[in-house]
Every structure is written in structure tokens, then in C-alpha cells.
Amino acid sequence: MTRPTTLEAASAEPTIFLIDDDQPVLDSLAELVAAAGPRPQTFSSAEEFLDNFNSLASGCIVTDLRLTGMSGQDLQRRLIEMGCPLPLIVVTGHATVPVAVQIMEDGAVTLLQKPYKPTELLSAIQRALDRPVKARPSDGQLTDLRQRLNTLNEEEQQVMQLLLEGRTNKVIAATLSLSMRTVDRRRRSVLDKAGVESVPELARLAGILQSAGQ
């Protein structure tokens, strides 16, 4: 195999967190990444990664979609809930169109379809490292967010909770016995009052808010 080109680190000592339950594949990925420059760290499951996650880490996450236990998409949702700023790359050989669309809408750098070329993965990692890191909000900004969320009425709070659980508008409508139009209206109201443009951004801030005990 041709030695990959060196990746330029976007931040000091970035780590590429590799998650796959196929050990030979995991070892091969680690070898590829290490040869390109950044330090790889491997995990055989999403649960193992979460158990060892350091919120101060820099770099990016590369995960297979189909894993034993928590899936790659489940991991993505959990990371959003936690307010994790690390970019995510998802690799799969079995993704339906709706799942692929949802993964991208939820902020993944890319979804690589197997089999892919090593240079395609390295290019995706470079794009992830080049992404600007979202700064943690100040205490004043968190207080402002809490005050904004306190303006939500009971119906909007119900919709927000389901959004943060990763539910789609269709599921929310069925759960709350509402029309899709009503759910969409309340969803927009939640985002507007929170001062954010997307559900992933709301989830990121809500996760930071929760971890800060505010």
C-alpha cells in the first residue's frame, strides 16, 4: 500500500478516535491513520469509547455504522446530547437513504460507503480536523440560554424534549397526537426562543447546560 500523505493537524495533538467491532479492520485503520500523522486511539464499541471519553480531547471520531451494541447513529445522537464538539465520520456498508440523510443532517462530516479508498478516509479526516471548533459558551451565555428556555410554554417544552431525544417530526406528531404542521410550528418556536438554528446546536448547548448544573 502506498504510504498516505501526511495530514496537517488543525489543533495541537489531535487524536483520531476509531470505533469498529471488527478487530482486523480496527488495526488496519489505526495503521493507516498513524502513518498519515495523527495519533489513533481504538475502541471495539461505542460504549467503550463513551466510557473513556475526555471532553477536552481534540481531533475527530471515525465510527462504523453497524456495531455490536450501540450503533454508530446511536453514538452520534448521544454525542449531540453530550454537547461533544468533535467532528464525526461514519463508515458503512449498509445504510438506507433515510438513515444516511439523517446522519448528515445531524452534522456528520461525511458518510463513507464501503469499500472506500484509504485516501478517501484520510481526506475526510483532514476536513474534520479543518473544521473550526465551537467554543464552549461562557457562564453568561449559559445563563442567557437558561432564561430563553424558561420562556417556552408547556407544549413547546414537550416538543423540545422529544427533539433532544432524537425523535423525528413524524414521531413527535404521533406521540403528542398533533398535526405535522403544529409540530413544525412548535419546533421553529423552540429554536427561535433558544436562539439557535438547528436541533443539533440546541442539543449541544443543552448538554453543556446540563453538565454545568444550570
Side-chain angles (χ1 to χ4, degrees):
M1 180 174 66
T2 302
R3 181 179 177 83
T5 56
T6 301
L7 295 174
E8 297 178 0
S11 57
E13 298 299 331
T15 299
I16 312 304
F17 301 97
L18 305 169
I19 307 171
D20 200 301
D21 55 9
D22 186 323
Q23 192 61 48
V25 170
L26 195 57
D27 292 341
S28 177
L29 288 174
E31 181 181 354
L32 173 68
V33 169
R39 180 172 70 94
Q41 189 170 348
T42 61
F43 303 89
S44 59
S45 70
E47 290 87 348
E48 183 186 3
F49 168 77
L50 291 173
D51 287 344
N52 293 276
F53 176 65
N54 180 352
S55 60
L56 300 179
S58 64
C60 75
I61 303 167
V62 179
T63 182
D64 196 78
L65 179 62
R66 286 192 174 183
L67 297 168
T68 302
M70 182 184 290
S71 71
Q73 187 174 27
D74 291 335
L75 173 62
Q76 182 184 37
R77 291 169 178 162
R78 180 67 183 124
L79 293 172
I80 291 172
E81 292 173 1
M82 294 167 56
C84 174
L86 293 179
L88 179 72
I89 297 167
V90 179
V91 175
T92 183
H94 312 276
T96 63
V97 172
V99 168
V101 170
Q102 189 63 56
I103 286 172
M104 294 305 297
E105 286 184 349
D106 285 343
V109 174
T110 190
L111 189 147
L112 285 179
Q113 189 76 26
K114 298 178 181 178
Y116 56 83
K117 297 178 181 178
T119 52
E120 292 178 315
L121 176 60
L122 294 179
S123 176
I125 291 174
Q126 184 64 68
R127 294 200 306 275
L129 295 178
D130 287 341
R131 276 192 174 187
V133 178
K134 295 180 179 179
R136 181 184 177 90
S138 65
D139 290 342
Q141 289 172 318
L142 290 176
T143 298
D144 178 65
L145 175 61
R146 169 59 67 192
Q147 293 173 343
R148 285 174 173 271
L149 295 181
N150 285 340
T151 67
L152 299 178
N153 59 38
E154 184 177 352
E155 291 80 11
E156 291 166 340
Q157 289 176 4
Q158 290 176 330
V159 170
M160 181 183 73
Q161 183 59 44
L162 291 171
L163 287 172
L164 293 179
E165 291 175 3
R167 311 301 183 186
T168 63
N169 281 15
K170 184 176 181 179
V171 171
I172 294 173
T175 301
L176 300 178
S177 299
L178 300 172
S179 68
M180 290 286 289
R181 180 175 297 179
T182 298
V183 171
D184 187 59
R185 184 175 67 250
R186 291 181 185 175
R187 176 190 178 117
R188 288 200 305 270
S189 181
V190 167
L191 297 180
D192 288 343
K193 288 184 177 181
V196 297
E197 297 182 358
S198 67
V199 173
E201 179 66 8
L202 174 65
R204 185 181 80 90
L205 294 177
I208 295 174
L209 197 64
Q210 182 177 16
S211 65
Q214 294 201 26

